[in-house]
């Protein structure tokens, strides 16, 4: 599992331990974590959940009247720098 997957899994495990079951998905450039946020959610649980999500590279909240509230996070996968792609002479 890539490092991003390990970090995302750790975030998901912490959220699940707080009673917020999380989904983890691997994508080409990142690993995502999503959790449905129940209504109402106590203030201290919001604070703790946001503290956990802040460990990701990006996070946010998607709120709609149709689907409710989804807290999401993205952990980027490492991308080699241009100088290391293809070795010497293959730089772009």
């Amino acid at each position: 599992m890539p490092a991003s997957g390990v970090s995302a899994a750790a975030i998901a495990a912490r959220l699940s331990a707080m009673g917020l079951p999380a989904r983890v998905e691997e994508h080409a450039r990142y690993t995502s974590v999503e959790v449905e946020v129940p209504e109402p959610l106590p203030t201290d649980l919001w604070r703790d959940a946001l503290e956990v999500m802040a460990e990701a590279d990006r996070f946010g909240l998607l709120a709609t009247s149709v689907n409710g509230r989804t807290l999401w996070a993205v952990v980027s996968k490492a991308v080699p720098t241009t100088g290391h792609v293809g070795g010497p002479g293959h730089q772009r």
Side-chain angles (χ1 to χ4, degrees):
M1 179 181 293
S4 64
V6 172
S7 295
I11 290 169
R14 289 181 61 196
L15 291 168
S16 294
M18 295 167 37
L20 300 170
R23 298 180 301 279
V24 177
E25 291 186 21
E26 290 288 333
H27 301 273
R29 293 185 163 177
Y30 60 90
T31 304
S32 65
V33 179
E34 292 184 354
V35 62
E36 300 303 319
V37 181
E39 181 103 27
L41 190 67
T43 303
D44 57 334
L45 194 52
W46 262 116
R47 186 175 37 253
D48 293 345
L50 292 175
E51 187 176 300
V52 170
M53 293 301 237
E55 295 176 10
D57 295 316
R58 294 183 318 218
F59 70 96
L61 177 69
L62 176 64
T64 67
S65 60
V66 176
N67 295 330
R69 303 180 300 180
T70 303
L71 192 56
W72 60 269
V74 170
V75 180
S76 300
K77 292 183 178 178
V79 177
T81 61
T82 304
H84 295 111
V85 177
H90 291 84
Q91 297 178 5
R92 297 177 193 211

